[in-house]
Amino acid sequence: MSFDTIPILDLSRSQHRSTKPTFLADLRRALLEVGFLYISNTDISQLLVEDVISNGKAFFELPDDAKLAIQMKNAPSFLGYSKLGNEITAHRTDFREQIDLSTPHPLPSPTAPLYHNLLSPNQWPDSSILPTFRPVFESYITAMSHLATRFTSLIAEALDLPPTAFDRFFDKDQQHKLKIVKYPDVSQLGFDDTNAPGQGVGPHKDSMLSSYLLQVSPHRGLQAQNLAGEWIDCPPIPGTLVVAIGQGLEALTHGVCASTTHRVLSPAAGEGPRFSIPFFQGVSYDATFESVEVPLWVREKKARLGAQRDGVEFTFEKGRWAHLGEATLWNRCKSHGDVAERWYPEIWAEIQGVKKGAGGIADETNKEDAAVERGGVGRPLEVAKDAAIEAR
């Protein structure tokens, strides 16, 4: 079965005994058949959302030197500002600029695993210029963390599991991430043909547990790919968030909750920039490749539906990595070469296929439409540890 629309679920139905069973049935269908859905009535304050939108847009109005002062390559955490055209997906440039933020964490211990570099303080814009930016986004991240935790318990129940089934995969101070993204329209990209489609972000699957997208502007552009390979529009719907199942949840459910490939097309010439704010629910980087035992009847139902074949390979390949954090770090290095080249040179060399014994990565990187390559020899990511610790 291939979906041709994205389901919309009213989250308030999960709060009442009379409507919760049908809500969970609808959620189960969305998880097994689509992997993408809208949720409404999230209880996130509308005033907070409005503050998030205004502060997010204001960030991109800052002068370049103010944004570059907190650019991502300043630190090994992959947090901070990325300028236009600085990220790669499916071997093509993504035409977007963005800032990555996360729940607050101190610098990791020098003896911590290398992937704990991802758990670090944020880089915030100058508070004398944007005085409300930090408190607004810290409040939003907190609110979204509560929402994501609540929704994950509903996912568990929809799979006929206890609501606490996924709790053991979260840290006490679990990191969640957020991006504030601006996609310029194609007239601002310097194309000779302004009618040519631009890649806002190429075909990919989110690598976290799940993501919750606030579509700020009215532009279309977000699309999810169904089992037939068709691209289905996910237009903005006021009062909703778009939920995408991530590869983390796919790994923890042995593919029952499969992550759906999606992309964003650049706005057409003259439409102005598209803004969006995705929140990514994390999972413990120290988690191993354990999984929950989804009931047989749910697994059989999923098996009858078939699987997506789209060229986007699976990040959390069991047997290649010891911990989810290793796979996440590798994935971040592939997307942000400037950060990887500075802080993780050996990983970057292996990704590029120039390190002796890289074992076929150069061939892998020539695959069209593959957003994630498996890479070379599976091993713990210790190779850049000394350099990263020295630079802390």
Side-chain angles (χ1 to χ4, degrees), residues 354-380:
V354 298
K355 188 177 186 298
K356 184 178 180 181
I361 295 202
D363 292 336
E364 284 286 321
T365 55
N366 288 327
K367 288 184 178 179
E368 294 184 359
D369 299 324
V372 179
E373 305 89 356
R374 284 192 176 90
V377 180
R379 56 181 177 78

mmCIF file of all heavy atoms in Angstrom, residues 354-380:
data_model
loop_
_atom_site.group_PDB
_atom_site.id
_atom_site.type_symbol
_atom_site.label_atom_id
_atom_site.label_comp_id
_atom_site.label_asym_id
_atom_site.label_seq_id
_atom_site.Cartn_x
_atom_site.Cartn_y
_atom_site.Cartn_z
ATOM 1 N N VAL A 354 39.966 8.982 0.871
ATOM 2 C CA VAL A 354 41.362 9.263 0.576
ATOM 3 C C VAL A 354 42.297 8.632 1.588
ATOM 4 O O VAL A 354 43.505 8.621 1.403
ATOM 5 C CB VAL A 354 41.630 10.784 0.534
ATOM 6 C CG1 VAL A 354 40.826 11.434 -0.575
ATOM 7 C CG2 VAL A 354 41.302 11.437 1.878
ATOM 8 N N LYS A 355 41.740 8.104 2.681
ATOM 9 C CA LYS A 355 42.560 7.460 3.691
ATOM 10 C C LYS A 355 42.894 6.044 3.240
ATOM 11 O O LYS A 355 42.046 5.324 2.776
ATOM 12 C CB LYS A 355 41.819 7.404 5.036
ATOM 13 C CG LYS A 355 42.665 6.928 6.197
ATOM 14 C CD LYS A 355 41.851 6.995 7.492
ATOM 15 C CE LYS A 355 42.699 6.666 8.693
ATOM 16 N NZ LYS A 355 43.241 5.330 8.684
ATOM 17 N N LYS A 356 44.141 5.652 3.366
ATOM 18 C CA LYS A 356 44.557 4.325 2.952
ATOM 19 C C LYS A 356 43.726 3.275 3.681
ATOM 20 O O LYS A 356 43.549 3.322 4.883
ATOM 21 C CB LYS A 356 46.042 4.103 3.269
ATOM 22 C CG LYS A 356 46.570 2.754 2.773
ATOM 23 C CD LYS A 356 48.045 2.611 3.069
ATOM 24 C CE LYS A 356 48.550 1.251 2.569
ATOM 25 N NZ LYS A 356 49.981 1.062 2.857
ATOM 26 N N GLY A 357 43.207 2.326 2.912
ATOM 27 C CA GLY A 357 42.389 1.278 3.506
ATOM 28 C C GLY A 357 40.962 1.691 3.756
ATOM 29 O O GLY A 357 40.254 1.030 4.504
ATOM 30 N N ALA A 358 40.508 2.792 3.107
ATOM 31 C CA ALA A 358 39.131 3.237 3.330
ATOM 32 C C ALA A 358 38.117 2.243 2.800
ATOM 33 O O ALA A 358 36.955 2.282 3.168
ATOM 34 C CB ALA A 358 38.911 4.605 2.690
ATOM 35 N N GLY A 359 38.564 1.380 1.895
ATOM 36 C CA GLY A 359 37.752 0.222 1.534
ATOM 37 C C GLY A 359 36.432 0.528 0.878
ATOM 38 O O GLY A 359 35.385 0.202 1.397
ATOM 39 N N GLY A 360 36.483 1.198 -0.299
ATOM 40 C CA GLY A 360 35.275 1.294 -1.106
ATOM 41 C C GLY A 360 34.406 2.492 -0.848
ATOM 42 O O GLY A 360 33.345 2.608 -1.412
ATOM 43 N N ILE A 361 34.859 3.412 0.011
ATOM 44 C CA ILE A 361 33.987 4.569 0.248
ATOM 45 C C ILE A 361 33.890 5.441 -0.990
ATOM 46 O O ILE A 361 32.860 6.021 -1.277
ATOM 47 C CB ILE A 361 34.495 5.377 1.447
ATOM 48 C CG1 ILE A 361 34.372 4.528 2.684
ATOM 49 C CG2 ILE A 361 33.772 6.685 1.594
ATOM 50 C CD1 ILE A 361 34.332 5.249 3.960
ATOM 51 N N ALA A 362 34.991 5.536 -1.764
ATOM 52 C CA ALA A 362 34.939 6.364 -2.959
ATOM 53 C C ALA A 362 33.857 5.868 -3.908
ATOM 54 O O ALA A 362 33.157 6.639 -4.543
ATOM 55 C CB ALA A 362 36.302 6.363 -3.660
ATOM 56 N N ASP A 363 33.730 4.527 -4.022
ATOM 57 C CA ASP A 363 32.669 3.998 -4.872
ATOM 58 C C ASP A 363 31.304 4.316 -4.301
ATOM 59 O O ASP A 363 30.372 4.662 -5.023
ATOM 60 C CB ASP A 363 32.822 2.482 -4.999
ATOM 61 C CG ASP A 363 34.081 2.116 -5.789
ATOM 62 O OD1 ASP A 363 34.526 2.956 -6.578
ATOM 63 O OD2 ASP A 363 34.586 0.990 -5.595
ATOM 64 N N GLU A 364 31.178 4.204 -2.966
ATOM 65 C CA GLU A 364 29.890 4.472 -2.330
ATOM 66 C C GLU A 364 29.444 5.896 -2.584
ATOM 67 O O GLU A 364 28.268 6.162 -2.801
ATOM 68 C CB GLU A 364 29.979 4.236 -0.827
ATOM 69 C CG GLU A 364 29.988 2.782 -0.421
ATOM 70 C CD GLU A 364 28.625 2.149 -0.559
ATOM 71 O OE1 GLU A 364 27.634 2.816 -0.237
ATOM 72 O OE2 GLU A 364 28.562 1.000 -1.003
ATOM 73 N N THR A 365 30.369 6.843 -2.531
ATOM 74 C CA THR A 365 29.975 8.240 -2.633
ATOM 75 C C THR A 365 29.558 8.618 -4.035
ATOM 76 O O THR A 365 29.068 9.716 -4.264
ATOM 77 C CB THR A 365 31.121 9.170 -2.184
ATOM 78 O OG1 THR A 365 32.297 8.875 -2.950
ATOM 79 C CG2 THR A 365 31.415 8.969 -0.710
ATOM 80 N N ASN A 366 29.739 7.717 -5.008
ATOM 81 C CA ASN A 366 29.301 8.001 -6.359
ATOM 82 C C ASN A 366 27.869 7.543 -6.610
ATOM 83 O O ASN A 366 27.332 7.736 -7.686
ATOM 84 C CB ASN A 366 30.232 7.316 -7.370
ATOM 85 C CG ASN A 366 31.580 7.986 -7.427
ATOM 86 O OD1 ASN A 366 31.671 9.194 -7.240
ATOM 87 N ND2 ASN A 366 32.630 7.216 -7.670
ATOM 88 N N LYS A 367 27.258 6.902 -5.624
ATOM 89 C CA LYS A 367 25.885 6.450 -5.816
ATOM 90 C C LYS A 367 24.942 7.644 -5.862
ATOM 91 O O LYS A 367 24.945 8.472 -4.971
ATOM 92 C CB LYS A 367 25.457 5.519 -4.676
ATOM 93 C CG LYS A 367 26.118 4.146 -4.723
ATOM 94 C CD LYS A 367 25.563 3.283 -3.617
ATOM 95 C CE LYS A 367 26.166 1.900 -3.652
ATOM 96 N NZ LYS A 367 25.637 1.057 -2.563
ATOM 97 N N GLU A 368 24.136 7.713 -6.909
ATOM 98 C CA GLU A 368 23.183 8.807 -7.018
ATOM 99 C C GLU A 368 22.034 8.586 -6.048
ATOM 100 O O GLU A 368 21.630 7.469 -5.764
ATOM 101 C CB GLU A 368 22.644 8.895 -8.449
ATOM 102 C CG GLU A 368 23.724 9.291 -9.466
ATOM 103 C CD GLU A 368 23.148 9.452 -10.847
ATOM 104 O OE1 GLU A 368 21.938 9.231 -11.005
ATOM 105 O OE2 GLU A 368 23.908 9.789 -11.758
ATOM 106 N N ASP A 369 21.517 9.736 -5.568
ATOM 107 C CA ASP A 369 20.332 9.755 -4.711
ATOM 108 C C ASP A 369 20.499 9.026 -3.389
ATOM 109 O O ASP A 369 19.524 8.659 -2.758
ATOM 110 C CB ASP A 369 19.112 9.170 -5.445
ATOM 111 C CG ASP A 369 18.767 9.965 -6.682
ATOM 112 O OD1 ASP A 369 18.932 11.196 -6.635
ATOM 113 O OD2 ASP A 369 18.354 9.357 -7.666
ATOM 114 N N ALA A 370 21.734 8.813 -2.957
ATOM 115 C CA ALA A 370 21.953 8.193 -1.641
ATOM 116 C C ALA A 370 22.312 9.273 -0.654
ATOM 117 O O ALA A 370 23.341 9.899 -0.762
ATOM 118 C CB ALA A 370 23.052 7.143 -1.713
ATOM 119 N N ALA A 371 21.454 9.521 0.293
ATOM 120 C CA ALA A 371 21.720 10.582 1.262
ATOM 121 C C ALA A 371 22.692 10.129 2.326
ATOM 122 O O ALA A 371 23.334 10.943 2.965
ATOM 123 C CB ALA A 371 20.416 11.031 1.926
ATOM 124 N N VAL A 372 22.810 8.818 2.532
ATOM 125 C CA VAL A 372 23.677 8.309 3.579
ATOM 126 C C VAL A 372 24.464 7.133 3.036
ATOM 127 O O VAL A 372 23.876 6.176 2.563
ATOM 128 C CB VAL A 372 22.860 7.825 4.803
ATOM 129 C CG1 VAL A 372 23.781 7.267 5.871
ATOM 130 C CG2 VAL A 372 22.045 8.969 5.374
ATOM 131 N N GLU A 373 25.802 7.227 3.046
ATOM 132 C CA GLU A 373 26.614 6.092 2.646
ATOM 133 C C GLU A 373 26.975 5.291 3.882
ATOM 134 O O GLU A 373 27.098 5.815 4.970
ATOM 135 C CB GLU A 373 27.922 6.544 1.964
ATOM 136 C CG GLU A 373 27.712 7.475 0.791
ATOM 137 C CD GLU A 373 27.665 8.922 1.203
ATOM 138 O OE1 GLU A 373 27.727 9.208 2.415
ATOM 139 O OE2 GLU A 373 27.548 9.759 0.318
ATOM 140 N N ARG A 374 27.194 4.001 3.693
ATOM 141 C CA ARG A 374 27.589 3.182 4.824
ATOM 142 C C ARG A 374 29.017 3.457 5.240
ATOM 143 O O ARG A 374 29.400 3.286 6.365
ATOM 144 C CB ARG A 374 27.455 1.697 4.470
ATOM 145 C CG ARG A 374 26.013 1.204 4.468
ATOM 146 C CD ARG A 374 25.980 -0.309 4.397
ATOM 147 N NE ARG A 374 24.610 -0.785 4.494
ATOM 148 C CZ ARG A 374 23.830 -0.980 3.448
ATOM 149 N NH1 ARG A 374 24.270 -0.731 2.243
ATOM 150 N NH2 ARG A 374 22.594 -1.420 3.623
ATOM 151 N N GLY A 375 29.858 3.848 4.296
ATOM 152 C CA GLY A 375 31.247 4.108 4.652
ATOM 153 C C GLY A 375 32.085 2.860 4.594
ATOM 154 O O GLY A 375 31.701 1.846 4.034
ATOM 155 N N GLY A 376 33.294 2.942 5.145
ATOM 156 C CA GLY A 376 34.259 1.855 5.050
ATOM 157 C C GLY A 376 34.164 0.884 6.189
ATOM 158 O O GLY A 376 33.111 0.430 6.572
ATOM 159 N N VAL A 377 35.304 0.581 6.766
ATOM 160 C CA VAL A 377 35.383 -0.466 7.763
ATOM 161 C C VAL A 377 34.650 -0.058 9.025
ATOM 162 O O VAL A 377 34.839 1.035 9.545
ATOM 163 C CB VAL A 377 36.864 -0.755 8.079
ATOM 164 C CG1 VAL A 377 36.976 -1.845 9.125
ATOM 165 C CG2 VAL A 377 37.601 -1.154 6.805
ATOM 166 N N GLY A 378 33.789 -0.920 9.548
ATOM 167 C CA GLY A 378 33.071 -0.627 10.785
ATOM 168 C C GLY A 378 33.994 -0.709 11.984
ATOM 169 O O GLY A 378 34.650 -1.713 12.210
ATOM 170 N N ARG A 379 34.099 0.368 12.746
ATOM 171 C CA ARG A 379 34.973 0.392 13.908
ATOM 172 C C ARG A 379 34.535 1.509 14.820
ATOM 173 O O ARG A 379 33.891 2.455 14.390
ATOM 174 C CB ARG A 379 36.430 0.616 13.504
ATOM 175 C CG ARG A 379 36.603 1.900 12.690
ATOM 176 C CD ARG A 379 38.038 2.070 12.291
ATOM 177 N NE ARG A 379 38.190 3.254 11.453
ATOM 178 C CZ ARG A 379 38.214 4.492 11.909
ATOM 179 N NH1 ARG A 379 38.070 4.720 13.197
ATOM 180 N NH2 ARG A 379 38.362 5.511 11.098
ATOM 181 N N PRO A 380 34.875 1.465 16.109
ATOM 182 C CA PRO A 380 34.565 2.579 16.992
ATOM 183 C C PRO A 380 35.245 3.847 16.515
ATOM 184 O O PRO A 380 36.351 3.805 15.970
ATOM 185 C CB PRO A 380 35.118 2.110 18.349
ATOM 186 C CG PRO A 380 35.156 0.632 18.252
ATOM 187 C CD PRO A 380 35.473 0.338 16.809
#
